[in-house]
Amino acid sequence: GKALHDALQKTWEKETRKLQIYGVLKARKGEPLALQLWDNMGSSVYVTGEMVQEASNQPTAVEKLRQQIEKMGATPFALADLDVQADENIYVGISNLNQIRRDAAEALEQAMLKKTKRKNMERGEAPRQAKEPRLLKKKLHVLVSNLEQLDAAVKQKGVERIYVESTMELEEHLADVIAKCRRYDVACYAALPRVDRERPEDESRLQRFLESDLDGFLVRSAGQFGAVKNSGKKITADYNLNVVNREAVLFWQEQGADNVCLSVENNLQEIRAMADSSCEMVVYGYLPLMTTQQCPIGNFAGEKHSGQYCKKRWNQDLYFLRDRKGEKFPLMTDCERCVCSILNGKPLFALKFYDEVLDNAVGSVRLNFTKEGPARVERIVRAYAEMTKDTAHCSAETRALLQQMSEKGSTKGHFFRGVE
């Protein structure tokens, strides 16, 4: 009896830390899939999904419908009771079910936040039993674009490694930067330039880096890889080296990469199929859509003439490109090399679905910082550090960030694209 009692006790304890909610799922032929969720405190939401189809061969079983909707994973909820009202012989895609579950849980969370700012919304502090703890334990790495960001990130508990973009600033303060990282017990890597322009300055800088006490390099081209391969320092192959499948991961590992960062184009299913513990994945950042030597700032605002730098060189103002829908895309200049990255207007922000995102074998996750100020860097690193340590732990500060990001808009990236 004791073993059974303990097992029951565990499931009971696990569930009671989550808010009990109730639901009705309607799957009627020719109508949109509909899910209603409510709690005991008077909050209720109703969301609809895609049309329910007639099954051509394999009908979706009621059990399957129930199973997908009950997966409340990273949410603060547990479904105490779900009433499934389904027609015979219907087909509902799993991605449709996942989507409606996510939408409804998010809507209910918003409804409750509006209704109550009370303390009881905070999720229980005790960690849940993870499916496979081995899969969920990740190391936190941070990429910074300047030393101000480095100062903000290096002090945060939980950061294991910092990649610093290869700038003049880094070269000038190299000894200090390395000493600071050592003081906080953080590994320090130089991130080599995204666009190789074969400049003598970059060559001599790399030489200094190779002779320094840097721990390693983040490498963004095959040429760079060759140049640091026998340095005795650690090497991370960045995601732009076309790391889109298991073969690519193995290829760079055979070349001598200690870590391989997976392409930001991959969805979670693909990541599960290709990752191992030496892999890293990007879980935050305004990602570059393209990097160009035709810098829009130089061409439009800086009166650029061929062969010389423009008047706006080193200008720190925030410039944006605006598309015809009015979306704004921040511009990130590298005035030293006279190239410009056009960044996504919304940041990739994976905390909302962190349980699902971390459910794979990668050994580390990475935050990319571009235009963020130091206070922002600090907030984001803190939230990710807290939830990387334990996805069930979500402080009031992190909740506020989640809330703010959902109002401001962020992207789930490609993680949920085409995932069945």
Side-chain angles (χ1 to χ4, degrees), residues 21 59 75 137 174 185 211 233 239 275 278 286 297 336 367 375:
I21 59 167
T75 70
K137 269 283 154 261
L174 190 60
D185 202 20
E211 291 156 14
K233 297 191 187 301
Y239 64 81
S278 74
Y286 288 87
I297 300 173
E336 188 188 343
L367 314 180

Side-chain angles (χ1 to χ4, degrees), residues 95-386:
S95 57
N96 193 0
L97 288 163
N98 289 345
Q99 191 62 50
I100 201 169
R101 179 192 72 228
R102 267 190 226 115
D103 291 348
E106 195 165 336
L108 185 58
E109 211 172 328
Q110 297 298 338
M112 292 163 97
L113 280 172
K114 280 207 183 76
K115 199 167 159 54
T116 163
K117 293 276 189 276
R118 284 202 304 277
K119 263 308 198 204
N120 64 5
M121 269 302 292
E122 276 192 15
R123 219 180 297 175
E125 295 304 320
R128 296 192 314 262
Q129 291 298 306
K131 280 176 280 198
E132 292 189 54
R134 168 188 76 80
L135 288 186
L136 289 172
K137 269 283 154 261
K138 315 288 186 207
K139 294 188 157 110
L140 184 63
H141 298 168
V142 175
L143 170 79
V144 297
S145 302
N146 56 49
L147 300 194
E148 214 184 8
Q149 292 176 343
L150 172 103
D151 285 348
V154 76
K155 305 184 181 77
Q156 302 308 316
K157 272 196 187 59
V159 175
E160 310 234 356
R161 178 186 303 173
I162 293 188
Y163 301 109
V164 192
E165 290 288 356
S166 167
T167 54
M168 279 191 231
E169 193 188 23
L170 174 61
E171 186 177 12
E172 276 166 35
H173 299 96
L174 190 60
D176 294 346
V177 165
I178 294 171
K180 190 172 287 174
C181 288
R182 289 271 181 283
R183 193 157 73 241
Y184 287 101
D185 202 20
V186 172
C188 186
Y189 284 49
L192 300 180
R194 266 175 221 291
V195 175
D196 260 341
R197 295 199 77 172
E198 312 269 313
R199 306 175 327 128
E201 299 91 320
D202 282 326
E203 303 275 309
S204 65
R205 188 172 301 161
L206 180 56
Q207 220 24 66
R208 281 208 49 193
F209 288 167
L210 286 165
E211 291 156 14
S212 75
D213 283 335
L214 278 168
D215 295 292
F217 294 101
L218 177 65
V219 166
R220 276 128 167 195
S221 73
Q224 290 171 355
F225 205 106
V228 301
K229 193 172 169 172
N230 302 316
S231 66
K233 297 191 187 301
K234 298 272 189 206
I235 299 174
T236 300
D238 207 358
Y239 64 81
N240 66 322
L241 292 174
N242 220 11
V243 186
V244 292
N245 52 32
R246 186 70 189 146
E247 287 67 44
V249 170
L250 293 169
F251 171 80
W252 289 112
Q253 286 172 344
E254 278 156 24
Q255 297 304 303
D258 300 277
N259 298 112
V260 178
C261 187
L262 307 179
S263 169
V264 291
E265 309 283 322
N266 285 105
N267 66 31
L268 289 180
Q269 215 167 342
E270 292 161 337
I271 287 172
R272 281 189 199 110
M274 66 200 272
D276 61 42
S277 61
S278 74
C279 293
E280 170 183 86
M281 68 193 283
V282 179
V283 293
Y284 170 83
Y286 288 87
L287 300 179
L289 300 171
M290 67 181 286
T291 300
T292 173
Q293 300 185 12
Q294 291 298 323
C295 173
I297 300 173
N299 290 349
F300 294 105
E303 302 169 28
K304 182 166 166 56
H305 304 297
S306 73
Q308 62 191 61
Y309 295 109
C310 81
K311 289 189 175 162
K312 297 280 185 187
R313 194 180 190 207
W314 305 118
N315 182 319
Q316 288 298 308
D317 294 344
L318 263 178
Y319 282 91
F320 297 93
L321 279 187
R322 203 185 278 271
D323 71 5
R324 53 195 170 75
K325 291 194 203 138
E327 284 273 340
K328 283 159 67 174
F329 299 90
L331 298 175
M332 174 92 183
T333 50
D334 173 352
C335 287
E336 188 188 343
R337 301 176 185 85
C338 205
V339 294
C340 178
S341 294
I342 297 158
L343 306 178
N344 196 331
K346 294 193 166 79
L348 165 66
F349 184 69
L351 272 189
K352 189 84 193 154
F353 312 102
Y354 216 31
D355 268 18
E356 282 173 81
V357 169
L358 291 190
D359 187 14
N360 64 56
V362 300
S364 53
V365 291
R366 180 166 115 206
L367 314 180
N368 277 2
F369 292 106
T370 46
K371 298 297 249 183
E372 292 87 351
R376 188 96 191 125
V377 169
E378 212 166 292
R379 251 193 104 175
I380 287 169
V381 173
R382 256 212 300 274
Y384 272 93
E386 166 187 281

Side-chain angles (χ1 to χ4, degrees), residues 64-81:
K64 189 74 200 154
L65 298 175
R66 177 182 300 284
Q67 223 177 339
Q68 286 311 112
I69 300 297
E70 281 176 351
K71 282 187 182 166
M72 284 283 154
T75 70
F77 305 128
L79 256 176
D81 183 53

Side-chain angles (χ1 to χ4, degrees), residues 392-405:
H393 182 94
C394 191
S395 65
E397 197 187 1
T398 298
R399 271 202 170 289
L401 179 70
L402 283 163
Q403 174 70 13
Q404 187 189 31
M405 290 304 268

